[in-house]
Amino acid sequence: MNGLPCDRPDVLGVGRPGIGPAVVALGGGHGLYASLSALRMVTDRLTAVVTVADDGGSSGRLRRELGVLPPGDLRMALAALCGDDEWGSTWSEVVQHRFRSEGELHGHAVGNLLIVALWELLGDSVAGLDWVGRLLGAHGRVLPMASVPLDIVAEVELDGVISTVRGQVACASTPGRVQAISLVPEDPPARPEAVAAVRDADWVVFGPGSWFTSVLPHLKVPALARALHATRAKRLVTLNLAPQPGETDDFSPQQHLEVLRQHAPDLRIDVVLADTGVVDDPDALEKAAGALGARLVMDDVAAADGSPRHDPRRLASVLDEIFLQKR
């Protein structure tokens, strides 16, 4: 799947089927969905490496009942990689569909159940995801960042008091400001396929997404973190369009970069991409980017309706120019 040519037209109309940089996108949830929706327009050599710490909703229920990786963020990444033809759009809707009932199936996503069924049949999480990707006609590959389910532990400051909360849902919704995160277990086994993808990439893309629960956890898996530091790939950070309620309330764009530097002080970033409309202090953001070794690229990449969503085609256009070293 990963790297196979397709007949999808390039977003810029250039038509480069089967060609493009090897890109690894890191994250989870809606942020990674936005990133992949854009990236699949500019390269066919695309791999998503996804957080596996969700403990809420359908994913949390399946995780607790069956002891599996939480499938929800993996499902969303696969849905983002579906094509725009009838097959892709139909299967994207199917795997995202949630049952509505008064019984035990209420709230479960069809794709979550499909993924877990394949895991049980095949006994391997990556093989199961590859099979789902083949069914969906996914333009890329989806990998979990670790081989076991993880818990996020956050240090949270509220009114001058530091407390500890555990679990992704708790970290994302707790009152106060998250200061730092760690993982349980502390030294989780990374998926070898994810490590290899990072080492072989031309570009690694961090974000957008929930900063503490989707983006930074990748840097807390030791083998994956080593690969992210050692890879020959260039590294790009796509900043969020708005603070994440419960995680980064009142964070400025530059504060996101400062937190990244605190968690990975030796990680060099090459490019920081920000939407022009959300940057109040370009000089401060450029300084924060420079502290990571990065140059700042600003452009209009938000949806035209004013919502805090990235427009896939706008984002794809800018990313394509960056990858081609035109920006």
Side-chain angles (χ1 to χ4, degrees):
M1 291 178 300
N2 192 27
L4 291 181
C6 66
D7 57 4
R8 179 179 83 259
D10 179 70
V11 66
L12 302 180
V14 177
R16 303 195 303 269
I19 301 175
V23 179
V24 173
L26 308 177
H30 295 283
L32 182 60
Y33 186 98
S35 183
L36 295 174
S37 297
L39 286 167
R40 70 178 177 84
M41 298 183 190
V42 297
T43 183
D44 295 310
R45 303 165 62 200
L46 178 58
T47 302
V49 177
V50 184
T51 53
V52 286
D54 192 3
D55 59 352
S58 172
S59 288
R61 290 159 62 190
L62 291 168
R63 172 180 175 171
R64 288 187 294 273
E65 183 172 344
L66 301 174
V68 296
L69 296 174
D73 286 350
L74 298 160
R75 180 203 79 243
M76 285 192 68
L78 285 163
L81 294 176
C82 285
D84 295 322
D85 57 3
E86 183 180 13
W87 182 273
S89 60
T90 299
W91 275 109
S92 179
E93 290 184 15
V94 169
V95 297
Q96 295 283 62
H97 177 74
R98 291 186 184 273
F99 293 104
R100 295 289 178 263
S101 74
E102 300 297 325
E104 294 296 322
L105 276 177
H106 179 73
H108 273 306
V110 172
N112 288 357
L113 302 178
L114 176 62
I115 289 169
V116 172
L118 278 163
W119 285 346
E120 289 195 347
L121 288 170
L122 300 176
D124 182 85
S125 59
V126 169
L129 292 167
D130 285 345
W131 272 95
V132 177
R134 289 171 62 185
L135 174 64
L136 272 55
H139 298 299
R141 195 181 193 194
V142 174
L143 300 170
M145 72 175 186
S147 301
V148 297
L150 304 175
D151 278 335
I152 296 173
V153 178
E155 295 180 8
V156 181
E157 186 272 331
L158 180 63
D159 297 330
V161 177
I162 302 294
S163 60
T164 300
V165 296
R166 177 168 173 167
Q168 180 170 313
V169 172
C171 294
S173 58
T174 185
R177 174 170 288 192
V178 177
Q179 302 292 310
I181 62 157
S182 57
L183 296 179
V184 176
E186 291 184 2
D187 189 7
R191 279 300 311 201
E193 299 89 346
V195 172
V198 168
R199 289 189 177 275
D200 294 340
D202 298 312
W203 283 88
V204 174
V205 178
F206 296 83
S210 302
W211 217 239
F212 287 100
T213 55
S214 291
V215 178
L216 296 180
H218 292 81
L219 295 164
K220 295 298 182 179
V221 178
L224 186 58
R226 288 193 295 270
L228 289 167
H229 282 78
T231 181
R232 63 181 177 85
K234 293 185 177 180
R235 306 169 188 86
L236 181 147
V237 172
T238 304
L239 287 173
N240 293 338
L241 297 174
Q244 184 79 15
E247 276 196 37
T248 54
D249 292 305
D250 302 322
F251 266 40
S252 65
Q254 54 267 26
Q255 283 177 293
H256 286 77
L257 298 183
E258 291 163 1
V259 167
L260 175 60
R261 189 181 180 198
Q262 291 166 9
H263 281 76
D266 297 324
L267 183 69
R268 179 179 175 84
I269 302 297
D270 295 277
V271 179
V272 170
L273 173 59
D275 180 73
T276 307
V278 302
V279 178
D280 294 328
D281 191 341
D283 291 337
L285 181 56
E286 189 166 21
K287 182 179 179 181
L292 292 167
R295 58 189 176 87
L296 175 64
V297 174
M298 294 175 55
D299 210 317
D300 296 325
V301 292
D305 61 8
S307 63
R309 297 180 299 108
H310 286 86
D311 180 271
R313 291 192 171 273
R314 288 182 175 182
L315 181 58
S317 178
V318 177
L319 288 171
D320 191 66
E321 291 183 348
I322 292 171
F323 294 162
L324 293 174
Q325 299 184 359
K326 294 181 179 180
R327 296 290 296 268

